[in-house]
Amino acid sequence: MSEHKIPEEALRQLCASVDGDCGLYVSAPGEGLKFSINEDKIFTAASTIKIPVLALLFQDAAEGRVDLSKKVVVKPENRVTGSGILRSLAPDLELSLFDLANLMIVMSDNTATNEIIDVVGMDRTRQFCTDHDFNNTWIWKKIFYKGELPPPQVPEEMPVNATTAGDLGRMLEQLADGTLVDEESCRRIIQIMAGQRIARLKTLLPCAERVDPRADTLRLPKEGQVVVASKGGTLTDPPTAHDAGIFYLPDGRYYIVTICTTSSDLKATTKIINEVGLVMYEAMK
């Protein structure tokens, strides 16, 4: 029997205060705890789609399909708006696939993401999700891409890139236990995600100092701190705010929180997500 409990009523109240739609999935696998609200509700994925793209890249590297040290020139058509810096840098810029993957997560760089999507393929990313039973997660379009692409094979009312809180939660559970891809690749993916700078669930938490995405081992935090490996997503139309994270505690325990929202007020919803992160931390620390 776990000595900790998921604060279900507090989470229900916070999710109910979102002026729009909210999906939530929380778990502490090592303690047998799980709770969800609308976990199968489908949302536009925004930048959370970068998690399976990253996982597939590392799977391909482990299988020898790609070399993460290989350098590529960032293509003009992949230089898109939104988060990141690559679109503004030199047109002949060369970066390794690892550096692009790092930028895709740590800075949520959309240009870097499109380069990685070109490497792994959208069709293979969709298949990767299906193979892992993330059946409500798919990608049919590169991030803010303006070029021609095959028409998405999804119902007209569905988003072209999609996910759910439940899919993201199970994705992170498999990542944390080393089964999403091979164990070493999972470790390296977590290391990159722990270097994430853009996150809502950890805003109010006593986080350890920033993690080096290239470090060999994820160091557990000091007493009274937490390390968070996460990836969020934001859109302004419609106002969309997601976040998904693995929260590591000093004693080696971890828990998972994923939240997906669309609402009338992005700023207000962001504060609610901040509170979800704090409520869970206070309950699980």
Side-chain angles (χ1 to χ4, degrees):
M1 179 76 66
S2 172
E3 64 180 85
H4 301 95
K5 291 184 178 180
I6 292 173
E8 296 183 8
E9 185 55 35
L11 293 173
R12 285 193 188 95
Q13 291 179 11
L14 285 167
C15 289
S17 67
V18 173
D19 186 15
D21 294 320
C22 181
L24 177 75
Y25 183 98
V26 299
S27 69
E31 301 179 71
L33 302 175
K34 188 174 293 187
F35 175 70
S36 67
I37 298 171
N38 297 328
E39 67 170 272
D40 294 326
K41 183 170 183 58
I42 295 173
F43 293 82
T44 297
S47 286
T48 63
I49 200 65
K50 297 170 185 179
I51 301 174
V53 170
L54 181 68
L56 181 55
L57 176 70
F58 272 83
Q59 176 178 289
D60 283 355
E63 294 174 351
R65 296 174 65 105
V66 300
D67 178 358
L68 293 178
S69 66
K70 178 185 176 183
K71 291 192 174 183
V72 298
V73 176
V74 177
K75 295 184 283 295
E77 63 269 26
N78 282 337
R79 292 174 181 258
V80 294
T81 58
S83 55
I85 188 65
L86 285 184
R87 69 183 184 275
S88 303
L89 300 185
D92 58 349
L93 179 66
E94 280 189 319
L95 289 170
S96 72
L97 294 181
F98 182 89
D99 287 338
L100 289 168
N102 193 357
L103 286 167
M104 175 175 72
I105 300 299
V106 173
M107 298 298 293
S108 202
D109 193 293
N110 292 331
T111 297
T113 303
N114 288 343
E115 287 291 326
I116 298 298
I117 290 171
D118 281 347
V119 172
V120 298
M122 286 186 288
D123 54 343
R124 293 184 63 245
T125 304
R126 292 193 300 274
Q127 188 61 52
F128 176 86
C129 292
T130 299
D131 289 345
H132 287 270
D133 293 326
F134 310 138
N135 295 315
N136 291 318
T137 300
W138 59 74
I139 177 170
W140 285 92
K141 184 180 179 182
K142 291 197 285 187
I143 309 299
F144 292 135
Y145 189 71
K146 301 299 184 183
E148 291 188 14
L149 290 169
Q153 302 301 305
V154 296
E156 188 173 337
E157 69 276 11
M158 288 292 183
V160 293
N161 297 343
T163 196
T164 66
D167 275 5
L168 289 172
R170 288 181 286 274
M171 208 176 292
L172 294 191
E173 286 173 347
Q174 292 180 28
L175 183 59
D177 70 15
T179 59
L180 182 61
V181 286
D182 66 283
E183 190 171 353
E184 173 63 13
S185 294
C186 285
R187 183 197 64 76
R188 296 183 70 190
I189 292 167
I190 289 170
Q191 192 72 31
I192 291 175
M193 290 177 62
Q196 166 71 245
R197 292 189 175 187
I198 305 167
R200 295 181 173 90
L201 285 168
K202 71 178 187 179
T203 299
L204 302 180
L205 306 189
C207 292
E209 61 187 55
R210 186 168 174 266
V211 172
D212 178 3
R214 290 184 175 273
D216 291 333
T217 304
L218 184 69
R219 296 175 59 183
L220 291 175
K222 298 176 183 178
E223 195 63 36
Q225 293 185 325
V226 62
V227 169
V228 185
S230 66
K231 184 72 198 84
T234 305
L235 292 172
T236 56
D237 187 21
T240 297
H242 306 330
D243 207 0
I246 310 169
F247 296 73
Y248 291 93
L249 298 166
D251 59 5
R253 290 181 299 116
Y254 67 87
Y255 62 93
I256 286 159
V257 184
T258 67
I259 185 166
C260 298
T261 70
T262 55
S263 67
S264 61
D265 187 335
L266 194 59
K267 185 175 181 179
T269 301
T270 294
K271 291 181 179 179
I272 293 168
I273 296 174
N274 298 161
E275 289 292 333
V276 167
L278 180 59
V279 163
M280 273 299 295
Y281 173 72
E282 291 294 337
M284 300 303 298
K285 68 180 182 181

